[in-house]
Amino acid sequence: MLRIGPPTPGSAEPVERADAARNRALLLDAAQQLVREHGVAGLTMDALAKRAGVGKGTVFRRFGNRTGLMLALLDHSEQKFQAAFMFGPGPMGPDASPVERLIAFGRTRLLDIEVEGDLHRAAEENGGRFGDGPYSLHRAHVVLLLREAGVAGELPLVADTLLATLSAALITHQLAVSGYTRAQIGDNWEWLVRRVVSGAAHVE
Amino acid sequence: MLRIGPPTPGSAEPVERADAARNRALLLDAAQQLVREHGVAGLTMDALAKRAGVGKGTVFRRFGNRTGLMLALLDHSEQKFQAAFMFGPGPMGPDASPVERLIAFGRTRLLDIEVEGDLHRAAEENGGRFGDGPYSLHRAHVVLLLREAGVAGELPLVADTLLATLSAALITHQLAVSGYTRAQIGDNWEWLVRRVVSGAAHVE
């Protein structure tokens, strides 16, 4: 475990906790890389230990089992996504226009789903898709952007439609069965966003 | 069992089959009425036998158990819906304009989901929502109407978005948790359809 400087009295525990958090994040970044390269099937406790250069025991201690690792990875990926759309640079973050941000929100989500689709789909199927924390946050964010773009519809319902278009179950079906590419699905997303905001300049 | 005229040689079996089909349809109409009045919880084998004025044994012989009855009802309701959008009178059927038909398709589906939401949700959760027969037919129908309305987007993907807006899981959440009325959700559907077709007159 990497220590930054020697522990000083009373500070040992916080330093250890910060180390643990950083090590955890490094492990999860390695796990994300593995999934990007080999799909979800390539993510095993063994492969992760090898990739991260740690003992297998460390990986088990940290995540319990493969399901625990998957959940941690999903959470890690979700946190990165949230940080990007709330505080990140353009086109997802606050510097860009609301329409650019909506478009980037969808295209980034599509990339996550293409790479980690099985993870996201499993999370959706674990009931409560619409009630859970991430969904509420995504919906609030999309409502905010629609309002900033001047859309006059019933915004939470419009946001539900946009987010339904990005559901992992639907996207993985479009990729795997309907035979669309991520670029085509992304272009459709952009088309849809532009249609939804198209009446925004008019009073309805 | 009602018989139309005496059986003639060689025709007894077909007459019996037609009777059986009609009796089955009458039972399912009674089941649908029960669900409309008392929700899915009110649909029991007992209640159905009483409502239809037949013995409980007849209901069990016909559907096996309550799950069998639910599946048969869902199928019955789906067949009526399909007949309405393919061959029915306006605004769902071929006499109306494509935009009117799209709007009526959604509003009718919303009514079905409000009444039989638990049935439809269970059907969606039984895997293969996007691969199953009804979904493919709905998608083909929506694609056809979008094309007739002159929409220039990637129509199967646009249809996926419109149908995702009508998923039973989403609609029941909007009704039960978000607190929207069916009328509000229907108005949002109409708004969405009009936005999607709004650019149709222009070459994109």
Side-chain angles (χ1 to χ4, degrees):
Chain A
M1 215 190 282
L2 194 73
R3 277 285 181 78
I4 304 167
T8 52
S11 76
E13 225 194 1
V15 170
E16 269 182 15
R17 275 210 295 269
D19 275 1
R22 196 175 48 242
N23 288 344
R24 185 185 158 86
L26 289 174
L27 276 174
L28 289 172
D29 281 335
Q32 207 163 30
Q33 283 301 324
L34 274 176
V35 172
R36 272 190 194 175
E37 290 164 26
H38 306 289
V40 172
L43 179 61
T44 61
M45 304 298 260
D46 258 342
L48 177 56
K50 205 178 264 178
R51 168 65 61 105
V54 301
K56 210 173 146 182
T58 302
V59 175
F60 274 95
R61 245 191 331 274
R62 196 73 70 178
F63 302 110
N65 53 31
R66 188 164 178 265
T67 303
L69 171 60
M70 300 276 207
L71 287 176
L73 179 57
L74 192 66
D75 185 59
H76 183 65
S77 154
E78 177 61 34
Q79 304 239 353
K80 277 177 155 180
F81 182 63
Q82 291 177 4
F85 73 66
M86 288 192 295
F87 316 113
M92 275 189 90
D95 291 344
S97 78
V99 174
E100 285 174 312
R101 292 182 76 186
L102 275 172
I103 292 167
F105 178 94
R107 288 200 187 265
T108 304
R109 194 66 174 173
L110 286 173
L111 176 59
D112 282 351
I113 290 172
E114 185 176 47
V115 172
E116 302 158 353
D118 294 345
L119 282 180
H120 287 273
R121 223 168 48 202
E124 281 178 9
E125 280 162 9
N126 277 342
R129 160 164 156 67
F130 303 113
D132 74 357
Y135 189 85
S136 301
L137 186 62
H138 297 179
R139 186 157 96 144
H141 179 66
V142 170
V143 165
L144 181 82
L145 296 180
L146 289 169
R147 185 174 300 128
E148 282 180 11
V151 176
E154 184 59 33
L155 301 188
L157 294 178
V158 178
D160 278 341
T161 291
L162 292 177
L163 293 174
T165 301
L166 297 176
S167 96
L170 179 56
I171 299 300
T172 52
H173 188 268
Q174 290 172 337
L175 289 167
V177 182
S178 306
Y180 284 101
T181 63
R182 179 163 54 83
Q184 288 175 304
I185 299 170
D187 290 347
N188 177 65
W189 167 260
E190 177 165 347
W191 180 89
L192 180 69
V193 167
R194 293 195 186 282
R195 282 268 75 81
V196 163
V197 305
S198 64
H202 314 280
V203 176
E204 305 221 336
Chain B
M1 219 191 278
L2 194 70
R3 276 284 181 79
I4 304 166
T8 52
S11 74
E13 225 193 1
V15 170
E16 271 183 11
R17 276 210 293 269
D19 275 0
R22 197 175 48 243
N23 288 342
R24 186 185 156 85
L26 288 174
L27 275 175
L28 288 171
D29 280 336
Q32 206 162 30
Q33 282 302 323
L34 273 176
V35 172
R36 270 186 200 180
E37 289 164 26
H38 306 291
V40 171
L43 179 61
T44 62
M45 306 297 260
D46 258 342
L48 177 56
K50 205 178 265 179
R51 168 66 60 106
V54 301
K56 210 172 148 182
T58 304
V59 176
F60 274 95
R61 247 190 331 275
R62 197 72 73 178
F63 303 110
N65 54 29
R66 189 163 179 263
T67 304
L69 172 60
M70 299 277 207
L71 288 175
L73 179 57
L74 191 65
D75 185 58
H76 182 65
S77 154
E78 177 61 35
Q79 305 237 355
K80 278 178 151 179
F81 181 64
Q82 292 176 5
F85 73 66
M86 288 191 296
F87 316 113
M92 275 189 89
D95 292 343
S97 77
V99 174
E100 284 175 311
R101 292 181 76 187
L102 275 171
I103 292 167
F105 178 94
R107 288 197 187 265
T108 304
R109 194 66 174 171
L110 286 174
L111 177 60
D112 281 352
I113 290 173
E114 184 176 48
V115 171
E116 302 158 353
D118 294 344
L119 282 180
H120 287 272
R121 224 167 47 200
E124 282 179 8
E125 280 162 11
N126 276 344
R129 161 164 155 68
F130 303 113
D132 74 357
Y135 189 85
S136 301
L137 186 63
H138 297 180
R139 186 156 95 145
H141 178 66
V142 170
V143 164
L144 181 82
L145 296 180
L146 289 170
R147 185 175 300 126
E148 284 180 12
V151 176
E154 184 59 35
L155 301 189
L157 293 178
V158 178
D160 277 341
T161 290
L162 291 178
L163 293 175
T165 301
L166 297 176
S167 95
L170 179 56
I171 298 300
T172 51
H173 187 270
Q174 290 172 337
L175 288 168
V177 182
S178 306
Y180 283 101
T181 64
R182 177 163 55 81
Q184 288 175 303
I185 300 170
D187 289 347
N188 177 65
W189 167 260
E190 177 165 347
W191 181 89
L192 180 69
V193 167
R194 294 197 185 280
R195 282 268 76 82
V196 162
V197 304
S198 64
H202 314 280
V203 176
E204 306 221 332

